[in-house]
Amino acid sequence: MFKTFIAGILLGIAGAAAALYYIPVVDQAREQSMIVVHPNHGNTETFHVNVPSDRIMVGAADQAEPLPAELEWPGDLQFAATRAELFKIRNGKDAVVGVASRIAASDEVSGEIIEWVLHLPARGSAYVIMEPQPQEGGYRVGDLARGTREFSNLTGRVTERFVEAPTSFDENGSQGRIEIITAFVGQAVDDL
């Protein structure tokens, strides 16, 4: 009886493993990366976020309409000057390729802080620390601080700017888009 029980468990595990191997649970397609390669061995890639349709979450103190509507922002004073947003990010073909989070905070000690995390499921994540003051032309510039998988051995800059829609709301209800341009280059092997 005990041997039959153990054999049943082993056969069940083998059957489940075979089913997972031959019948994939998730068949996630990878979108083609739209990277422009430059002669100096660096590359750039442009992403965008349609506002407000690509906004998944937005939270801040005293916000009249949080997203999602049932989001409760912490009442603690340390979160009073913090804003957190989560977006779908799109490539040049307007296909959703990942998610991005943007944190903006300020206090007397650190000043203003703006950080992005771009997560592309098929490629990895890039953590970017932005300069708080926009440059001429409305761009905000930052450096790649850390990365995972494809972005782990890269260095570079990222720019962010808001591009307004031609009218206050276009036919899709968009106010505009946040444009994110990455410019990365691989590190030398000695730097690692």
Side-chain angles (χ1 to χ4, degrees):
M1 179 80 157
F2 184 70
K3 289 180 183 179
T4 305
F5 178 72
I6 297 297
I9 288 177
L10 293 176
L11 286 173
I13 291 172
L20 288 174
Y21 181 77
Y22 290 109
I23 306 168
V25 176
V26 177
D27 187 17
Q28 183 176 5
R30 177 180 172 171
E31 286 291 327
Q32 180 181 3
S33 300
M34 302 184 72
I35 299 172
V36 177
V37 179
H38 299 285
N40 68 350
H41 305 291
N43 62 57
T44 59
E45 193 167 7
T46 303
F47 302 100
H48 69 273
V49 174
N50 297 324
V51 177
S53 61
D54 287 339
R55 197 178 265 146
I56 300 168
M57 190 232 29
V58 59
D62 301 325
Q63 184 172 0
E65 296 181 28
L67 182 68
E70 54 277 347
L71 177 69
E72 294 183 24
W73 195 252
D76 195 334
L77 286 178
Q78 68 182 352
F79 298 109
T82 303
R83 179 180 179 92
E85 298 175 277
L86 186 63
F87 304 100
K88 294 183 264 185
I89 54 174
R90 300 176 180 270
N91 64 8
K93 293 181 184 176
D94 210 35
V96 175
V97 293
V99 294
S101 68
R102 183 179 190 273
I103 304 290
S106 63
D107 65 12
E108 296 82 26
V109 178
S110 305
E112 192 174 356
I113 299 168
I114 298 176
E115 301 173 345
W116 278 92
V117 175
L118 307 174
H119 177 67
L120 308 173
R123 298 171 55 194
S125 298
Y127 170 61
V128 180
I129 300 173
M130 306 297 285
E131 295 174 5
Q133 298 304 318
Q135 305 293 316
E136 187 176 321
Y139 283 91
R140 185 171 277 122
V141 181
D143 293 315
L144 176 66
R146 294 276 185 259
T148 63
R149 295 191 314 195
E150 185 177 304
F151 303 104
S152 63
N153 295 329
L154 300 177
T155 60
R157 311 265 301 159
V158 176
T159 60
E160 158 208 328
R161 76 174 177 145
F162 182 76
V163 179
E164 289 188 32
T167 60
S168 61
F169 279 96
D170 71 3
E171 61 276 357
N172 297 327
S174 178
Q175 297 170 344
R177 64 174 39 182
I178 299 172
E179 184 178 75
I180 302 166
I181 303 172
T182 64
F184 296 147
V185 66
Q187 295 179 359
V189 176
D190 297 342
D191 294 344
L192 302 176

